[in-house]
Amino acid sequence: MHARPIIAFITGGYSGEAEISYKSAITIEKNIDTSKFEVYKIDIRKDGWLYTHADGGLYMIDKNDFSLLINGNKIYFDAVLVGIHGTPGEDGKLQGYFDMLGIPYTSCDAATSALTFNKRYTVAVAAFAGIHVAKSLHLFKDRPVDAAVIAAQLHFPVFVKPNNGGSSIGMSKVKSGDDLEAALAKAFMEDDQVLVEEFISGREFTIGVFRSKGKIITLPFTEVIAKNEFFDFEAKYHGKSEEITPAMVDEAIAEKVRSAALKVYQVFNCRGIVRIDFIYNEARGEPFMLEINTVPGQSEASIVPQQVKAMGWTLKDFYSALIEDALEHK
């Protein structure tokens, strides 16, 4: 090992979520402890994986071994800090590539990343482990299902959402069978698999969970109060929701949310920081898991940075803990 481990901080990505990756990158770059780590920011784009040198020079990553050649110096990385939302950084593709090269990284492994990127497979595995989830149907573009068939199997209102990806793009809340066709068409524009899920009423909580020094830590969680019908793209990125961190909640309820989050983290064999979304249904007295974000947003306004600060850590402490945890997997 060098005096300082050499870290590749990867940002960008191949989907529309790249813009969110770049927002996260600003916060992450400001808060990486450069006295501990030597950091190279790598922009992962379809036209090349690029490093921009301080002198303005552009260098391409050699994909054969994920290295950089700068002024005759070959640079190899000790670990990768994953900051890509969407494909190929959140769906397991890059994780599989790094596994093949034997380079550790700060996110969930390839299998968990791929699984959790598929909303339906995520809730199926969770349900199998005894975690409460909403009833849902999984639809495929090449096997159309009549709206009446869906209406007969699920109670309205329902959410119709693209099965893969994040950021709630293409999602609708549907109150009756009449609006189902239009909502399905909208979701199928984003993905060839669609999830139709019963609406669970209750309070929406979202909780960051990470592993440090062998311990799984749950962050103080957030209550999301959407001003829109639901926590959609507008609510997430254009301030159309109110977020209260830490949530004002009875300790008995808080304990249920924390223990459900801990269980999810273990069942899915998560690594690094993940953010898990729950609806706490008062009538049932149980948290229902909605989804798992394996590369949660890190912009200043994002939920995980708020939770880290509520725990009394600095973001510098937090990113150091994530990188150090990855380096232990070397």
Side-chain angles (χ1 to χ4, degrees):
M1 289 286 264
H2 308 259
R4 286 184 300 166
I6 302 179
I7 306 300
F9 164 43
I10 58 172
T11 184
Y14 293 178
S15 75
E17 290 192 67
E19 68 167 292
I20 303 159
S21 304
Y22 297 132
K23 283 188 179 132
S24 288
I26 297 166
T27 312
I28 294 171
E29 270 196 299
K30 270 201 312 222
N31 292 287
I32 293 179
D33 191 342
T34 49
S35 71
K36 282 186 181 172
F37 311 107
E38 194 179 323
V39 182
Y40 292 77
K41 182 171 78 172
I42 314 295
D43 189 3
I44 301 234
R45 310 197 312 226
K46 281 185 175 158
D47 60 351
W49 300 0
L50 300 169
Y51 168 69
T52 308
H53 198 280
D55 64 15
L58 281 181
Y59 296 87
M60 290 288 252
I61 284 273
D62 179 347
K63 293 181 189 171
N64 290 306
D65 57 6
F66 196 69
S67 65
L68 278 174
L69 188 62
I70 300 180
N71 307 329
N73 271 339
K74 188 92 156 148
I75 295 162
Y76 295 100
F77 296 101
D78 294 307
V80 176
L81 176 58
V82 180
I84 294 176
H85 306 293
T87 190
E90 199 170 1
D91 57 2
K93 293 186 172 75
L94 281 173
Q95 285 80 359
Y97 164 78
F98 292 130
D99 284 343
M100 286 165 73
L101 294 174
I103 304 171
Y105 44 83
T106 59
S107 73
C108 293
D109 67 15
T112 298
S113 300
L115 175 70
T116 53
F117 205 68
N118 184 308
K119 293 186 173 91
R120 168 65 179 207
Y121 296 162
T122 305
V123 293
V125 171
F128 200 77
I131 294 153
H132 298 282
V133 298
K135 192 176 170 194
S136 63
L137 286 176
H138 189 192
L139 309 178
F140 296 84
K141 204 172 212 162
D142 58 356
R143 299 203 290 283
V145 175
D146 197 55
V149 174
I150 298 167
Q153 289 182 58
L154 298 176
H155 290 290
F156 287 91
V158 296
F159 281 123
V160 177
K161 44 192 171 186
N163 195 34
N164 290 312
S167 298
S168 320
I169 297 162
M171 184 162 151
S172 315
K173 184 177 178 181
V174 179
K175 292 175 179 166
S176 77
D178 305 341
D179 304 323
L180 211 46
E181 290 292 350
L184 289 170
K186 179 178 165 184
F188 276 124
M189 278 167 67
E190 301 296 329
D191 192 3
D192 53 11
Q193 296 182 28
V194 164
L195 184 63
V196 185
E197 186 174 74
E198 284 184 0
F199 171 71
I200 305 238
S201 66
R203 298 169 72 178
E204 180 159 353
F205 298 128
T206 182
I207 180 166
V209 187
F210 70 107
R211 191 192 298 267
S212 177
K213 296 186 169 68
K215 282 214 322 263
I216 300 173
I217 299 169
T218 55
L219 290 168
F221 61 87
T222 301
E223 179 165 14
V224 179
I225 301 166
K227 295 174 193 162
N228 290 11
E229 269 288 340
F230 58 90
F231 194 42
D232 61 2
F233 189 84
E234 283 275 293
K236 267 186 192 167
Y237 301 109
H238 301 295
K240 297 275 172 67
S241 69
E242 193 184 346
E243 289 154 13
I244 300 158
T245 310
M248 308 288 279
V249 63
D250 289 346
E251 184 51 33
I253 294 175
E255 191 40 55
K256 283 183 179 175
V257 173
R258 284 194 292 263
S259 73
L262 204 62
K263 184 172 180 181
V264 168
Y265 196 92
Q266 290 166 317
V267 162
F268 284 88
N269 189 33
C270 292
R271 288 221 308 262
I273 175 71
V274 305
R275 205 190 78 231
I276 308 163
D277 301 339
F278 289 100
I279 293 281
Y280 185 83
N281 180 266
E282 271 105 348
R284 300 271 297 273
E286 295 291 351
F288 282 69
M289 190 198 83
L290 298 177
E291 59 180 276
I292 303 171
N293 303 278
T294 57
V295 185
Q298 299 292 332
S299 64
E300 284 294 340
S302 295
I303 288 170
V304 164
Q306 290 175 35
Q307 295 184 352
V308 168
K309 289 169 191 162
M311 187 171 71
W313 282 32
T314 65
L315 287 176
K316 193 171 267 191
D317 295 334
F318 178 62
Y319 297 131
S320 291
L322 294 183
I323 294 167
E324 282 157 7
D325 190 63
L327 287 166
E328 279 174 28
H329 288 94
K330 220 177 153 54

